Amino acid sequence: MHDVNAVAAYLVGPFGGRDAMVGESVGRFWPTESQAVLAELLVALVNDQPEHRPRSHGITSLMLSDAGMTVRLKPDVTDIVEVTVRGIIHDHRSRWSLRASEERYQRLIQHLPYALVQVDATPMDPVFAALRRDGVTDIASYLAANPALVQQARKIVSVTGANRDAVKLFAAPDTEALIGPIGYLFAASPTTPHRLTIAHFEGRRSYSELMKLQRFDGEVRDVQLSATFPTAPERLDVTLLSFEDVTDRLSTETQLRRLQADHARAARISTLGELATSIAHEVNQPLSAIVTNAETSLRWLSRDDPNLPKIEQLTRRIADSAHRAHEIVQRIRAMAVRHAPERLPVDINEVIDEALLFTRHDIDSRSITLLVEREPCLPLLGDKVQLQQVIVNLLLNSIQAIAQAGPKGRIELRTRADGHEAFVISIRDNGPGIAPENLDRVFEGFFTTKDDGIGIGLAICQSLIIAHGGSITASNHSDGGALFQFSLPAAAET
């Protein structure tokens, strides 16, 4: 290199500047992205005998936009070539600063604590541009009618780099094994590219979802995918896809939900034990009616002239009582059997009616006045058995509290809408209330003030309400007695 001006020395020179460049090879400092163009222009200039006309060509540059290069022989000097680069400087950092920044970036990528792959999605840019020219705005509908576009994207969009955690996650032999079309990334989640394409077309900055990932050894893992799409002035050829392995976490969450369901079932069975007298009374009523009607039918049949219409009437009563007994048994069974929690549209007022059937005998036998005031409520998405369990537990608490306070017991159960998005259920009794020092502890597991209590009922109530997206509180009413309130969100309108 014979000489270099100040701008070139700053942009592509080392820390020594011009003095460190003069006398050195051009290739040591020339940006690699345009070295091939420089070589072609120099060869063309030398071979153009005898005129040696100047040669120009556009170049790719990390520091310049609209960049171009011209080579010419220096006037009156036949053995020195002048190389001029023109363009608009959009990044004032030197090439060495950029290289150092790139190296820092690559080190950071390699040491991130999750799998990361770099993807070049620029081949989709002209495809998207053509769609927009054709007036396509609803890309989701377009892809539904033209699924081949997603398949095309899986072939032309490529992985260009990956960190060591990605190699480990995919059980790949090395980084090179991950380089190539992205199709293999979604072998176990074939619909994910569809959603990524929508996000990319719509210009979103990022996209995330839970997906299945098939490793090179065939094992399938659950991963959280996060995609970050580039925007100018970032490098548009670098889309980042990160994969967080959540297989073990999801397995633990599944086990936790199973344990919570078993805990809730144990609480329901405990509640049924407390309701044994009430259940026996409920079942005994239809059974007694069956016996009475059957014996009456037999007496009618024993007559010389049986009264068939009367016997038919009695037989229908027997059938009705049997159905009633069956319904009671089914309700008890629903409370006791193990079942997976399910979210279905539920009318909370119907749940209250069924809960009252469990507790009605205990309320009546203790001469407790029951006031029920209900407003029409929007349906909610919930588990009917679990919500029934909450109401039964709270009613039992009130019944047991009133037993300590003497006669003239009273329970008030109210439902009311809280705007259009939620509703509130409150249960108040006129018992002794909750001791102030216990107000903050009533929902703690295994906390109880009863001699024969185990302290899981209210804790289960709280966990079930929270699982339904609601909240529950305990307080003392200003007129005496305890007040429990819980709110639940209404089902979203469709």
Side-chain angles (χ1 to χ4, degrees):
M1 185 178 297
H2 180 72
D3 201 358
V4 60
N5 70 3
V7 175
Y10 173 75
L11 289 178
V12 300
F15 293 111
R18 174 183 177 279
D19 292 340
M21 298 176 70
V22 173
E24 297 291 336
S25 167
V26 173
R28 180 181 172 188
F29 305 105
W30 200 271
T32 55
E33 63 266 22
S34 59
Q35 284 185 0
V37 176
L38 174 62
E40 291 177 5
L41 294 180
L42 289 174
V43 170
L45 178 67
V46 171
N47 290 336
D48 185 19
Q49 300 287 349
E51 290 85 357
H52 299 293
R53 290 167 295 182
R55 304 284 173 161
S56 299
H57 200 286
I59 60 173
T60 300
S61 173
L62 298 179
M63 296 169 285
L64 303 174
S65 58
D66 298 325
M69 176 167 46
T70 300
V71 297
R72 61 170 59 85
L73 289 178
K74 188 173 182 179
D76 304 323
V77 181
T78 58
D79 60 346
I80 295 179
V81 176
E82 287 185 338
V83 181
T84 304
V85 177
R86 64 186 182 280
I88 301 171
I89 299 177
H90 59 73
D91 192 331
H92 287 273
R93 293 174 295 171
S94 71
R95 175 170 171 257
W96 300 102
S97 296
L98 289 174
R99 178 180 295 178
S101 175
E102 178 70 15
E103 290 175 353
R104 287 194 298 270
Y105 166 76
Q106 290 299 333
R107 284 197 298 271
L108 175 64
I109 292 297
Q110 286 300 322
H111 292 87
L112 284 174
Y114 47 81
L116 191 78
V117 300
Q118 295 183 175
V119 172
D120 181 4
T122 53
M124 292 300 295
D125 291 346
V127 178
F128 288 161
L131 292 177
R132 292 188 179 97
R133 285 196 299 271
D134 292 340
V136 175
T137 56
D138 186 353
I139 188 63
S141 298
Y142 181 85
L143 292 181
N146 301 273
L149 179 59
V150 176
Q151 296 303 317
Q152 179 187 5
R154 295 180 63 159
K155 296 177 181 178
I156 64 176
V157 176
S158 298
V159 174
T160 57
N163 69 356
R164 60 186 184 182
D165 274 28
V167 175
K168 180 180 178 181
L169 175 63
F170 281 89
D174 51 40
T175 303
E176 290 301 318
L178 300 177
I179 306 302
I182 64 168
Y184 73 90
L185 297 178
F186 310 108
S189 292
T191 60
T192 297
H194 178 96
R195 292 182 289 275
L196 280 172
T197 302
I198 292 174
H200 191 187
F201 181 87
E202 292 178 347
R204 298 186 214 169
R205 189 69 170 102
S206 60
Y207 174 79
S208 180
E209 72 168 53
L210 190 66
M211 59 168 275
K212 298 285 187 182
L213 181 144
Q214 183 173 330
R215 291 157 43 106
F216 283 18
D217 60 7
E219 181 183 355
V220 175
R221 307 286 290 179
D222 292 300
V223 299
Q224 183 69 42
L225 163 70
S226 296
T228 302
F229 302 104
T231 57
E234 299 170 4
R235 286 183 57 182
L236 300 182
D237 61 339
V238 178
T239 295
L240 296 177
L241 302 182
S242 69
F243 301 89
E244 180 186 2
D245 191 340
V246 296
T247 307
D248 295 338
R249 188 189 78 194
L250 293 182
S251 177
T252 300
E253 290 175 355
T254 300
Q255 293 176 14
L256 178 59
R257 285 193 295 269
R258 189 180 298 117
L259 288 173
Q260 289 173 332
D262 289 344
H263 192 193
R265 177 171 176 257
R268 288 198 298 273
I269 293 173
S270 175
T271 301
L272 290 176
E274 296 183 49
L275 291 169
T277 302
S278 180
I279 291 171
H281 176 79
E282 287 290 318
V283 175
N284 189 54
Q285 283 185 323
L287 293 181
S288 297
I290 289 172
V291 171
T292 299
N293 288 319
E295 290 175 345
T296 304
S297 294
L298 289 174
R299 286 197 298 271
W300 281 106
L301 284 171
S302 64
R303 294 187 177 187
D304 294 336
D305 184 19
N307 186 337
L308 294 181
K310 184 65 175 178
I311 294 171
E312 181 182 1
Q313 182 186 39
L314 292 169
T315 304
R316 291 186 184 280
R317 290 179 181 175
I318 291 171
D320 290 342
S321 296
H323 286 305
R324 171 72 178 147
H326 174 74
E327 290 173 0
I328 295 171
V329 172
Q330 287 300 105
R331 284 203 308 274
I332 297 169
R333 182 177 182 277
M335 285 280 281
V337 299
R338 178 183 285 109
H339 79 289
E342 54 185 358
R343 297 289 186 264
L344 298 173
V346 173
D347 184 330
I348 194 65
N349 287 322
E350 290 182 3
V351 175
I352 290 173
D353 286 337
E354 294 193 10
L356 289 173
L357 290 173
F358 277 102
T359 58
R360 177 67 68 178
H361 175 70
D362 283 322
I363 291 173
D364 291 344
S365 65
R366 290 171 169 80
S367 299
I368 296 172
T369 301
L370 176 66
L371 173 66
V372 180
E373 294 182 355
R374 289 182 280 199
E375 292 183 4
C377 294
L378 294 171
L380 66 95
L381 286 180
D383 186 285
K384 185 176 181 180
V385 172
Q386 290 184 345
L387 295 175
Q388 181 178 294
Q389 178 180 356
V390 171
I391 296 171
V392 168
N393 266 309
L394 295 178
L395 287 171
L396 278 178
N397 269 6
S398 292
I399 292 169
Q400 293 164 357
I402 289 171
Q404 303 172 25
K408 296 184 179 180
R410 179 182 178 87
I411 296 175
E412 299 174 2
L413 192 159
R414 292 183 171 89
T415 67
R416 61 179 175 82
D418 185 9
H420 297 289
E421 298 181 353
F423 49 85
V424 178
I425 298 91
S426 64
I427 298 177
R428 180 211 164 190
D429 62 65
N430 65 342
I434 305 169
E437 65 270 18
N438 294 332
L439 276 172
D440 293 333
R441 302 189 61 194
V442 293
F443 294 111
E444 291 181 9
F446 302 107
F447 173 77
T448 181
T449 59
K450 304 172 189 174
D451 294 336
D452 58 349
I454 58 175
I456 64 172
L458 290 177
I460 289 293
C461 287
Q462 184 185 53
S463 66
L464 294 179
I465 293 300
I466 291 175
H468 281 77
S471 61
I472 184 169
T473 61
S475 62
N476 287 316
H477 196 274
S478 58
D479 293 332
L483 172 64
F484 286 88
Q485 292 190 110
F486 63 92
S487 63
L488 294 167
E493 296 184 8
T494 56

